[in-house]
Amino acid sequence: IGFGPDGVMFRLDRGGQKLIVSLYVDDGVCACDSRELYDSFLTDLSKKFTLSDSGKLSWYLGVAIDHDREKGISTLSQETYIDTLLERFSMTDAHPVPTPSELGVRLIKAQSQQTPDPEATKKYQQM
């Protein structure tokens, strides 16, 4: 399995045991169905790279992660990221609506060839 260009996923199948590793810049997460394979993998990897174990996965790449092992449920949330965006763009008092515009609105292409403001473009891309 592989993703590009920024993130990478690796999968290792060894003797019926599976290990999946996701890497992004200097962050990584590993999931494995065998403690023995997991420990062996980390030992081998730590011979080549400096590693740190942050314990139970609760946060990865801006996503909060909660596990309920009894129910077998993992929940992902970007609430903190969304709150940060709302604050950055002065929208903390905005009211949610089911659609961003009126239903049935027909958009047409602008008639003039205006050059977009680079600052406005950059701010829009950050959303």
Side-chain angles (χ1 to χ4, degrees):
I1 301 173
F3 295 130
D6 299 321
V8 177
M9 282 189 91
F10 297 99
R11 188 177 84 191
L12 173 66
D13 293 316
R14 185 181 292 163
Q17 299 171 330
K18 293 177 178 45
L19 177 126
I20 299 173
V21 179
S22 172
L23 301 172
Y24 183 83
V25 186
D26 63 350
D27 284 326
V29 62
C30 180
C32 189
D33 61 1
S34 163
R35 187 66 192 195
E36 181 182 326
L37 179 59
Y38 175 80
D39 290 340
S40 171
F41 173 77
L42 287 184
T43 298
D44 291 346
L45 197 61
S46 67
K47 291 176 183 174
K48 301 241 181 210
F49 303 98
T50 302
L51 303 177
S52 63
D53 187 349
S54 300
K56 180 183 163 193
L57 182 64
S58 61
W59 192 263
Y60 186 62
L61 301 178
V63 178
I65 302 166
D66 184 48
H67 306 279
D68 186 332
R69 287 195 175 269
E70 281 185 25
K71 294 180 181 176
I73 296 173
S74 293
T75 305
L76 308 177
S77 172
Q78 288 189 290
E79 184 177 350
T80 302
Y81 174 70
I82 292 167
D83 289 343
T84 301
L85 279 180
L86 290 173
E87 196 169 304
R88 183 187 312 160
F89 295 101
S90 303
M91 296 178 66
T92 53
D93 293 329
H95 301 289
V97 294
T99 59
S101 67
E102 295 178 37
L103 293 175
V105 171
R106 185 179 171 110
L107 303 175
I108 57 171
K109 186 175 179 178
Q111 298 301 313
S112 65
Q113 295 294 332
Q114 291 181 326
T115 304
D117 173 30
E119 280 301 311
T121 300
K122 183 176 179 180
K123 192 171 185 178
Y124 173 77
Q125 291 172 338
Q126 291 174 349
M127 293 178 92

